[in-house]
Amino acid sequence: MKKRNAYIVGSGIGGMALSVLLASKGFATTVLEKNHLLGGRCTSYEKIHDGEKFIVDMWTHTFPTAERAFNKVFKLINSDFEIKFYHFTEENPPQIWQHGRDPTNIPTSLDIFYKELEKMQQARSKKTTSKKPNPLSKSNIPKIISDIFSLSKKKLKELDEITFEQWLQGLTDNKLIINWLGIVCAFMFVTMAYDTNDRRGSAAGETIRSLRNWFQRITSGYPYGGSVGIVNGYKHALESMDGTVEINTKVDKILVDDGKVVGIEVDGNTHDTNLVISNAGVKETVLDLVGEKYFPKSYVKQIKQLEVSEGAHTWAFYSMKFGLDKKLIKPPIIFPMRRMDDSNNIRSMRELIEEYMVKDRIPPSSGMYVTVPSNMDPSLAPPGKQLVNIGCIGPVESKDYQKWYDFYIGILETWVPDFRKHVLFMDVHRTGKPLQQWTGRFQGDAVGISQSVGQVRDKRPLPNTPIKGLYLVGADVGIQGIGTELSALSALHSFKVIQKDITL
Ligand SMILES: Cc1cc2nc3c(=O)[nH]c(=O)nc-3n(C[C@H](O)[C@H](O)[C@H](O)COP(=O)(O)OP(=O)(O)OC[C@H]3O[C@@H](n4cnc5c(N)ncnc54)[C@H](O)[C@@H]3O)c2cc1C
């Protein structure tokens, strides 16, 4: 019997995860990807330097909940395939670096996490006798932490109506704490914790859910084979079920007739199908690949109003990759902590972003994160060499990008002297225009439709569309989770919806 076909537009995490699910139900599944690499915003490429091979991650670096979400796809279909992750070890944990202090180990298990909390509490009770002002006093941290772990589902739903910053402001007036937790929120969702002039900040309820989910298990890790290891895992599974992936293949149009999908157009050729799932973005699919005239006006209006995450708006994410001639850094991940503002008055993140990122002005200092992929998977760099990545923020457009790169390398050198003397190569990938060209989205945003007030849970765009046979997958339509996790879980949701519509 001839298999029914399904085309997936785009090989991001969402598209690839869904391809496995559809193939498992007997669909002749084809993924079409316009780029020469699979994975969209979660990919890696080969870099040959002096005849030696490095595998460099392009955008993603950290996977807060490790393989959990990715392998749910295989579990659902009882498949033996598995995406394998490196997990942080107690002997060599991620660290926080602060000036003038010994590095702080980040707990790698819940037991260690609770022990560290106890130590913090004991240290705090001893410090109350000290005369020195404590910048964290009156911070209400214990209440904030206990609320994050204990607020009811009902309360979290209510908190989806306010921003994370508004929630924090109700618990503390310590600006440093509001800024730090706001940065954690931006790290997870790439959406600010606060409203800007033209867009809403992260929903407090959703931010707390994700923080809870992340910290309740503490199983962070990194995919073997680099970021692209995740989609490579899905590709192997897909191919084992006779599915195919075609790279360098851009879908120009999704063809619709009489309210139904009838095919796709690639390079002037038409492929007949009545099932297309797009991973290319909600707006891009509706307004460009199909065309708004095929949709009800109210649907188009709703889609146009959706806001995307940061990366192309008030600041950009700069991902600086270095190949080093020796192993300079020991931990797998480091968070070098520096306040952007060195004045005595602590200014809000909003003010700092407007003052420095929007105006393309170098701040007095800045934090960043540093990942060392080859410490987690040694096969990513030649023996004796190291791969290092700095993740940091800068202006969306700058008159002088190099001054920003030098600024961040300078900060790292305060901990790792002579870092630049060991650099074999540096590649930089920025959100904004370069990312926009890579994904083909309308803008170079980092995550997708933002998890902001008015756009979470049952207010996310749905995987099904008013057109029969046309579905969506990817972070844009994901309901829960952080970045790539949001995309992988979206595949499970889209699959459920497709299953309901079509007897699979
Ligand atoms: C700089 C940066 C850092 C990040 N860091 C992290 C991190 O550390 N951890 C984390 O979990 N998440 C991170 N994210 C977020 C995460 O990468 C994304 O949320 C996720 O990968 C999006 O997946 P997706 O399924 O929505 O598809 P996308 O990644 O958006 O992929 C869509 C694919 O569709 C293809 N496509 C589009 N149009 C067409 C067409 N017409 N024809 C054929 N193909 C088409 C595109 O080329 C692309 O490959 C980061 C993102 C960025 C940009």
Side-chain angles (χ1 to χ4, degrees):
M1 198 175 78
K2 201 171 168 249
K3 280 185 174 183
R4 213 174 144 179
N5 68 13
Y7 283 93
I8 297 182
V9 185
S11 70
I13 296 281
M16 290 302 291
L18 183 65
S19 74
V20 174
L21 296 171
L22 288 178
S24 78
K25 290 291 168 189
F27 273 84
T29 308
T30 309
V31 179
L32 302 173
E33 169 54 55
K34 70 176 181 54
N35 292 331
H36 67 290
L37 297 173
L38 297 185
R41 284 173 280 186
C42 184
T43 193
S44 324
Y45 58 95
E46 271 187 30
K47 173 97 185 173
I48 305 293
H49 178 84
D50 270 352
E52 291 191 301
K53 188 168 88 183
F54 293 78
I55 306 285
V56 181
D57 287 339
M58 205 162 179
W59 313 103
T60 40
H61 315 106
T62 52
F63 298 84
T65 55
E67 68 275 49
R68 245 192 297 163
F70 307 116
N71 283 337
K72 278 192 177 169
V73 167
F74 299 123
K75 286 210 176 95
L76 186 71
I77 56 169
N78 293 322
S79 161
D80 291 337
F81 278 93
E82 199 186 347
I83 290 162
K84 294 217 164 68
F85 265 61
Y86 160 91
H87 288 264
F88 302 127
T89 62
E90 210 178 316
E91 296 71 46
N92 191 23
Q95 290 186 331
I96 294 171
W97 285 359
Q98 283 170 283
H99 264 288
R101 295 197 195 175
D102 288 339
T104 308
N105 290 343
I106 297 180
T108 51
S109 74
L110 269 187
D111 283 352
I112 303 175
F113 178 61
Y114 290 134
K115 273 186 207 145
E116 290 297 322
L117 268 184
E118 241 170 61
K119 268 198 239 159
M120 264 172 64
Q121 273 158 355
Q122 283 163 3
R124 195 177 303 121
S125 50
K126 273 187 203 148
K127 264 188 194 152
T128 45
T129 53
S130 151
K131 290 205 174 98
K132 231 171 143 198
N134 176 357
L136 297 186
S137 65
K138 298 201 191 120
S139 59
N140 215 1
I141 293 181
K143 167 79 175 142
I144 295 172
I145 294 182
S146 104
D147 274 10
I148 287 176
F149 284 102
S150 64
L151 286 174
S152 67
K153 279 187 185 167
K154 188 167 165 259
K155 183 69 190 166
L156 292 183
K157 197 162 190 287
E158 283 166 31
L159 290 179
D160 277 335
E161 303 305 318
I162 62 167
T163 65
F164 187 52
E165 187 185 73
Q166 284 163 340
W167 179 70
L168 287 171
Q169 282 167 340
L171 290 172
T172 179
D173 50 14
N174 185 313
K175 277 194 185 163
L176 205 54
I177 286 297
I178 296 177
N179 281 359
W180 282 354
L181 288 174
I183 290 169
V184 176
C185 170
F187 178 75
M188 289 194 310
F189 292 163
V190 198
T191 294
M192 302 316 281
Y194 53 78
D195 290 339
T196 60
N197 287 341
D198 55 356
R199 63 186 68 200
R200 304 301 316 268
S202 293
E206 188 62 10
T207 310
I208 296 168
R209 275 183 215 105
S210 292
L211 278 171
R212 189 185 288 180
N213 193 29
W214 176 8
F215 279 97
Q216 252 169 3
R217 301 204 205 162
I218 314 193
T219 55
S220 298
Y222 180 78
Y224 284 110
S227 290
V228 78
I230 301 172
V231 288
N232 278 345
Y234 290 140
K235 178 173 180 271
H236 289 143
L238 174 67
E239 288 174 346
S240 76
M241 294 179 280
D242 298 330
T244 46
V245 180
E246 292 174 27
I247 54 168
N248 296 315
T249 308
K250 181 172 183 291
V251 173
D252 296 316
K253 275 283 161 211
I254 297 172
L255 306 170
V256 171
D257 187 32
D258 199 18
K260 292 184 219 139
V261 162
V262 292
I264 51 167
E265 201 179 286
V266 178
D267 267 343
N269 298 315
T270 300
H271 303 266
D272 295 339
T273 182
N274 52 22
L275 182 57
V276 174
I277 305 97
S278 177
N279 187 206
V282 179
K283 294 189 186 204
E284 293 73 11
T285 304
V286 171
L287 306 176
D288 186 22
L289 286 175
V290 177
E292 64 177 82
K293 69 177 180 192
Y294 294 97
F295 294 89
K297 281 201 171 68
S298 57
Y299 182 77
V300 172
K301 190 173 166 208
Q302 187 198 332
I303 295 299
K304 281 185 176 171
Q305 279 169 352
L306 292 168
E307 290 173 4
V308 294
S309 57
E310 276 281 356
H313 184 50
T314 53
W315 51 271
F317 187 90
Y318 295 3
S319 198
M320 299 161 64
K321 324 287 169 178
F322 302 92
L324 303 185
D325 63 6
K326 67 183 274 198
K327 293 180 179 174
L328 268 191
I329 299 179
K330 187 162 177 283
I333 296 190
I334 309 139
F335 297 91
M337 301 259 281
R338 280 281 191 95
R339 277 177 49 207
M340 205 184 282
D341 190 5
D342 59 3
S343 72
N344 284 331
N345 296 328
I346 298 167
R347 292 198 284 166
S348 68
M349 270 321 281
R350 186 191 284 98
E351 285 173 291
L352 293 168
I353 296 281
E354 277 164 16
E355 178 68 20
Y356 298 111
M357 302 302 139
V358 174
K359 291 186 182 158
D360 192 7
R361 284 185 51 204
I362 296 281
S365 189
S366 183
M368 62 176 107
Y369 70 80
V370 178
T371 64
V372 190
S374 55
N375 284 1
M376 299 181 269
D377 179 351
S379 75
L380 302 179
K385 310 274 184 337
Q386 193 166 55
L387 262 177
V388 172
N389 161 72
I390 295 182
C392 52
I393 64 171
V396 179
E397 295 209 8
S398 173
K399 286 204 175 79
D400 180 1
Y401 292 107
Q402 190 61 44
K403 77 176 179 194
W404 286 91
Y405 309 153
D406 289 338
F407 165 66
Y408 282 107
I409 296 171
I411 295 174
L412 183 60
E413 281 192 324
T414 60
W415 282 280
V416 188
D418 294 336
F419 177 84
R420 67 190 89 198
K421 279 195 190 151
H422 295 280
V423 171
L424 298 171
F425 65 83
M426 174 178 97
D427 287 356
V428 184
H429 301 284
R430 285 181 283 109
T431 58
K433 267 196 196 136
L435 175 62
Q436 192 265 330
Q437 278 163 9
W438 182 254
T439 59
R441 289 170 65 85
F442 289 157
Q443 66 292 303
D445 60 307
V447 174
I449 299 300
S450 61
Q451 288 150 290
S452 52
V453 175
Q455 297 194 157
V456 294
R457 297 278 135 167
D458 53 355
K459 294 184 182 139
R460 301 286 294 165
L462 295 170
N464 43 342
T465 71
I467 290 174
K468 200 170 170 210
L470 175 67
Y471 297 87
L472 303 159
V473 72
D476 275 8
V477 294
I479 297 178
Q480 64 179 102
I482 304 171
T484 48
E485 186 189 25
L486 179 73
S487 313
L489 295 176
S490 86
L492 300 172
H493 186 211
S494 301
F495 181 60
K496 208 165 154 193
V497 170
I498 298 170
Q499 261 187 317
K500 222 168 142 198
D501 286 358
I502 307 169
T503 320
L504 300 180

